[in-house]
């Protein structure tokens, strides 16, 4: 096409009707005077009823002029589902879906256009992997060379790798740009975007092989987690603050831009594409035989439970390592908290708000309502007990609602007194100072904290109020339009108060009405408490680490600690052997005793043994400092040294003698402490 055929001051695009000239969004806009046609490149390329039947030099980039006119006439009869104007040339591929769209309207709905062609990575030259990744990311790379590619040293910038630590709290004394290969100060780039970096030490990355994603990419991945990928598109009024699901699938007619096998697809934003690194249409493309629902056998179910437990252990281990990194902030200066066990919250609040309280100070706890003075070796146990009681109070306080998996509630008085902030601060301090994990957060609350509420889509199970849940359920399961309208009429005041009142003209309107209500009651309603709570969790850098290691910290916030087992205690303690002491099978006696306790063949419990040695009834997420040890010594009875977390065990000739000494000592010691 000659330059004379191109007119900068062009009329509207014959397909979308817009005069916008924005190549970045709509592709190059050109006017062909001899054909009396003005087109956005992407409007033409994305149209469902046309493909390139000509060669590259025929018509417009292979699209024949007669085919373009037919497509314009076809689109003139189709109304855009978003702007309600004619000319909508892009249709949904679902056989029963008759909705059509303009290309710019699709962009306003946060749609993504995917292309695949014969391009490759400019660095590693891997064509196949690069094509698939560009397809997943929704990136279109034009086939023709850009003007800047012809300049001298045009690719010089591509030879430079990003080397900067973007973590909020960079630990490197030499600065954020310091990079020392094969050390903890080597900079690792985000595996997804490559435009953010971190020192290995600043993100608690143990090795270069460990993957790392920046906060921005994790936020995008979170969107994919909550998009259900419906097969039909949604009306304009159905969009909810960027969280609505719009899925537009490819037309069966796949236009090409070159003789290669390029595909075009109109899909909902990258939210849907990120989970498990699959494209949104992966399930749709599977053979029917692969999509048949299958019931798991009991053996498979048990195996899955075992795998989940194993996965949780791995995640907790990772979280423990991260917390140990945060503990490096704690100094030796002490702050004493005087705690009344009959009102833990009030005394804790007073202590946390005292002028000399610093989260980085070592915390000592004294229970003021105890008759006997606290022994020096009980400070660790007292602190753990305090945090345990505090977590229990927070869980059952008016700050949260729900049964086992809790969401934040709305308590105006608590907001006024800034108690959401204080609760978040206390949880952060508890984790870093050796207290227990919360373990009662709902998944939707945790994801709101980590990924941001705008990236989370709740479901009916997340509604704590039984009355609200019942009303939403009634709307959701309305079977006819008349019953739906009747329900909406009955709930008029309820819907108006939630800001969700909308006209209902079709039965499918109930879907967006339900979504609106869920977003309001689970997320929008708690905006102020959530932000205050997030600020509290930033104490000691805990929230930042949660954002960097969401799966690891989810195991602490959303799951109760695993019950103590003989295996766990055996792994917890390290046996220190002395060449001067003949243990005579002491290690075997110890492991055998743990097995007996676990199977109930003992008067003590595994928790009793742990408490006898450490003063704690459970293993804190951060672990113990110092790590628990066992020594076999020529002593008559077991000794629990809580300052050193050391269990001194007697040397006996028989297992029965060993077990009797353990039972007698632990039972009587703990009984005396309780009394």
């Amino acid at each position: 096409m000659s330059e004379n055929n191109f007119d900068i001051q062009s009329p509207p695009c014959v397909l979308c009707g817009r005069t916008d000239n924005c190549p970045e969004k709509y592709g190059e806009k050109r006017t062909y005077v001899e054909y009396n046609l003005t087109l956005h490149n992407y409007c033409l390329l994305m149209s469902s009823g046309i493909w390139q039947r000509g060669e590259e030099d025929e018509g417009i980039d292979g699209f024949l002029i007669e085919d373009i006119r037919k497509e314009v006439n076809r689109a003139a009869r189709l109304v855009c589902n978003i702007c309600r104007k004619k000319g909508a040339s892009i249709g949904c591929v679902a056989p029963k879906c008759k909705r059509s769209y303009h290309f710019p309207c699709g962009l306003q709905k946060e749609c993504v256009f995917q292309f695949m062609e014969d391009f490759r990575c400019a660095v590693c030259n891997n064509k196949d992997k690069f094509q698939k990744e560009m397809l997943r990311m929704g990136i279109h790379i034009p086939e023709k060379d850009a003007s800047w590619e012809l300049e001298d040293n045009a690719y010089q910038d591509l030879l430079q790798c990003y080397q900067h630590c973007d973590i909020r709290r960079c630990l490197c004394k030499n600065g954020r740009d310091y990079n020392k290969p094969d050390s903890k100060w080597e900079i690792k780039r985000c595996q997804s975007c490559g435009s953010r970096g971190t020192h290995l030490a600043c993100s608690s990355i143990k090795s270069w092989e460990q993957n790392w994603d920046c906060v921005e990419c994790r936020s995008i991945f979170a969107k994919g987690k909550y998009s259900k990928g419906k097969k039909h598109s949604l009306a304009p009024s159905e969009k909810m603050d960027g969280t609505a699901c719009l899925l537009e699938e490819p037309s069966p007619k796949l236009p090409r831009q070159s003789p290669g096998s390029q595909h075009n697809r109109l899909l909902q934003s990258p939210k849907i594409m990120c989970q498990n690194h699959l494209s949104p249409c992966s399930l749709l493309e599977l053979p029917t035989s692969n999509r048949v629902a299958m019931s798991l056998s009991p053996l498979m179910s048990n195996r899955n439970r075992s795998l989940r437990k194993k996965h949780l252990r791995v995640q907790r281990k990772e979280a423990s390592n991260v917390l140990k990194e945060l503990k490096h902030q704690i100094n030796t200066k002490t702050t004493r908290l005087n705690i009344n066990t009959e009102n833990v919250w009030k005394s804790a609040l007073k202590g946390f708000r005292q002028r000399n309280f610093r989260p980085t100070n070592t915390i000592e706890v004294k229970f003021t309502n105890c008759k006997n003075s606290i022994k020096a070796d009980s400070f660790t146990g007292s602190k753990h007990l305090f945090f345990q009681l505090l977590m229990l109070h927070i869980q059952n306080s008016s700050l949260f609602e729900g049964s086992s998996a809790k969401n934040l509630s709305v308590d105006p008085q608590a907001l006024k007194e800034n108690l959401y902030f204080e609760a978040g601060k206390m949880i952060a301090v508890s984790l870093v100072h050796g207290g227990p994990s919360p373990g009662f957060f709902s998944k939707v609350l945790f994801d709101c904290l980590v990924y941001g509420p705008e990236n989370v889509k709740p479901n009916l199970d997340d509604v704590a109020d039984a009355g609200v849940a019942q009303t939403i359920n009634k709307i959701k399961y309305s079977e006819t339009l008349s019953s739906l309208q009747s329900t909406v009429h009955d709930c008029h005041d309820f819907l108006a108060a939630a800001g969700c009142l909308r006209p209902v003209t079709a039965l499918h309107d109930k879907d967006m009405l339900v979504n609106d209500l869920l977003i309001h009651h689970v997320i929008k309603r708690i905006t102020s408490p959530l932000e205050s709570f997030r600020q509290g969790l930033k104490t000691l850098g805990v929230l930042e680490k949660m954002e960097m290691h969401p799966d690891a910290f989810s195991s602490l916030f959303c799951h109760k600690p695993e019950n103590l087992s003989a295996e766990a205690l055996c792994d917890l303690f390290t046996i220190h052997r002395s060449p001067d002491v003949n243990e005579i099978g002491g290690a075997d006696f110890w492991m055998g005793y743990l097995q007996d306790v676990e199977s109930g063949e003992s008067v003590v419990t595994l928790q009793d043994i742990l408490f006898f040695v450490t003063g704690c009834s459970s293993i804190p997420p951060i672990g113990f400092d110092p790590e628990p040890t066992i020594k076999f010594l020529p002593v008559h009875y077991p000794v629990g040294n809580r300052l050193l977390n050391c269990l001194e065990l007697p040397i006996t000739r028989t297992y029965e003698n060993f077990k009797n000494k353990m039972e007698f000592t632990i039972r009587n010691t703990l009984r005396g402490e309780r009394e």
Side-chain angles (χ1 to χ4, degrees), residues 278-296:
L278 295 174
S279 70
C281 298
S282 296
L283 291 177
L284 301 177
E285 296 165 354
L286 288 175
T288 304
S289 59
N290 290 349
R291 288 186 272 123
V292 176
M294 300 177 63
S295 59
L296 296 177

Side-chain angles (χ1 to χ4, degrees), residues 483-609:
S483 65
L484 175 61
Q485 291 173 333
S486 176
T487 301
V488 170
H489 180 269
D490 294 340
C491 303
H492 180 277
D493 294 341
F494 168 76
L495 295 173
C500 301
L501 197 60
R502 61 166 69 239
V504 176
T505 58
L507 185 59
H508 62 75
D509 288 341
K510 68 179 182 179
D511 297 330
M512 286 311 303
L513 186 55
V514 167
N515 285 335
D516 285 348
L517 288 169
L518 289 175
I519 291 291
H520 170 77
H521 281 280
V522 180
I523 295 179
K524 287 185 177 180
R525 190 173 58 95
I526 63 163
T527 299
S528 295
L530 180 68
E531 182 55 32
S532 181
F533 191 67
R534 290 185 82 255
Q535 293 302 318
L537 279 174
K538 289 182 179 179
T539 304
L540 296 173
V542 169
L543 180 61
E544 183 180 3
K545 293 299 184 182
M546 290 169 60
E547 294 171 341
M548 294 167 60
H549 307 272
D551 290 338
F553 277 88
S554 174
S555 68
L556 303 184
F557 280 79
C558 301
H559 299 273
K560 289 293 183 184
E562 188 176 4
N563 292 331
L564 275 181
S565 64
E567 180 184 4
L569 276 188
C570 188
D571 293 339
L572 180 66
F573 286 89
T574 301
I575 298 178
H576 284 187
R577 302 180 183 273
S578 174
D580 302 329
V581 177
N582 185 6
E583 300 174 7
I584 317 177
D588 292 335
F589 291 169
W590 162 248
M591 289 186 283
Y593 180 64
L594 292 180
Q595 293 287 349
D596 280 355
V597 173
E598 184 176 48
S599 61
E601 300 176 13
S602 172
V603 295
V604 302
T605 65
L606 295 173
Q607 286 78 8
D608 290 338
I609 298 174

Side-chain angles (χ1 to χ4, degrees), residues 404-424:
S404 55
K406 293 179 177 288
N407 296 326
L408 285 175
S409 65
V410 180
D411 186 332
Q413 188 61 30
L415 269 175
K416 184 178 179 181
E417 297 178 10
N418 206 26
L419 298 186
Y420 290 96
F421 170 83
E422 298 292 352

Side-chain angles (χ1 to χ4, degrees), residues 15 119 179 226 252-253 297 318 377 411 451 599 660 675:
L15 289 171
F119 49 82
N179 179 40
Y226 286 94
K253 302 175 181 178
S297 66
E318 180 184 348
D377 67 350
D411 186 332
Y451 302 116
S599 61
N660 290 336
E675 291 176 353

